[in-house]
Amino acid sequence: ATGAQVLVALDSRVDDGLVRAATDLAWIQALSTGTDVIDGLKALDRRRVTVTTTRGIHGPQMSEITLMHMLALSRRLPKMLRNQQDHHWERWEQPLLWHKTVAILGVGAIAGDMARCFRTFGMTLIGISRSERQVEHFEQIYPRSQIKAAAARADYFVVLAPHSAEN
């Protein structure tokens, strides 16, 4: 790693040993939104090395996969697939996401994209954040101290908070 000035990697691939070996390192481009799980940052001289992330690009895929899970859960997709495989016909209620409430803990860039996407499904969005503010597509933003009240209103609870001891 001597001579390498730039490291582009998944956060799980950057450890203390790699950072120590890259003596000429000037820039780490993490392929994640946050850097909180990059072990190698502990051994890093932050005055010498710039660390950047891909914050802001993950909204669409996170929104879609979350919607996929909500639909799979509400429509009982695993059972539906087992029945199909077993050639078994069974009817049950197919609830809609329409008019359901989603609480999102962590109202950042990904949450903003999710809120826009979920609103197209006719869902109500409430957020839980450290800072009280108006956020587009959210009906209400609760302070962290009221997380239980927000969760009590939710049909679905999405956690987008960064990894930390507090969270």
Side-chain angles (χ1 to χ4, degrees):
T2 302
Q5 294 180 322
V6 178
L7 173 63
V8 178
L10 293 171
D11 51 20
S12 60
R13 301 293 200 287
V14 182
D15 61 19
D16 286 342
L18 177 62
V19 170
R20 278 195 203 79
T23 55
D24 297 322
L25 194 60
W27 175 29
I28 295 175
Q29 173 60 58
L31 298 176
S32 59
T33 295
T35 60
D36 46 302
V37 295
I38 300 177
D39 289 334
L41 295 185
K42 295 175 191 123
L44 193 63
D45 179 357
R46 294 299 285 266
R47 293 164 298 177
R48 186 178 59 83
V49 181
T50 299
V51 178
T52 55
T53 70
T54 54
R55 183 183 191 281
I57 70 164
H58 299 291
Q61 61 266 39
M62 293 297 292
S63 299
E64 288 181 11
I65 199 160
T66 304
L67 274 171
M68 180 189 73
H69 285 294
M70 288 175 172
L71 287 165
L73 177 66
S74 68
R75 300 290 180 100
R76 299 167 58 187
L77 183 62
K79 182 174 182 163
M80 191 183 300
L81 293 173
R82 278 192 307 275
N83 284 352
Q84 183 182 34
Q85 204 170 38
D86 295 342
H87 306 284
H88 175 72
W89 178 253
E90 180 182 359
R91 289 180 180 244
W92 60 78
E93 184 181 345
Q94 294 294 308
L96 301 174
L97 296 182
W98 186 261
H99 294 295
K100 297 292 188 211
T101 299
V102 181
I104 301 178
L105 173 62
V107 184
I110 293 172
D113 197 77
M114 275 187 183
R116 180 193 51 74
C117 183
F118 294 176
R119 292 287 294 192
T120 63
F121 276 74
M123 301 178 88
T124 299
L125 282 293
I126 55 177
I128 303 135
S129 180
R130 286 190 190 115
S131 59
E132 292 186 50
R133 64 196 193 287
Q134 295 282 1
V135 180
E136 187 178 13
H137 305 296
F138 282 84
E139 177 185 281
Q140 184 175 359
I141 303 294
Y142 285 82
R144 288 254 179 134
S145 61
Q146 294 181 17
I147 191 170
K148 289 181 182 178
R153 287 188 56 198
D155 297 294
Y156 299 94
F157 194 91
V158 178
V159 178
L160 296 175
H163 181 267
S164 69
E166 178 190 8
N167 292 336

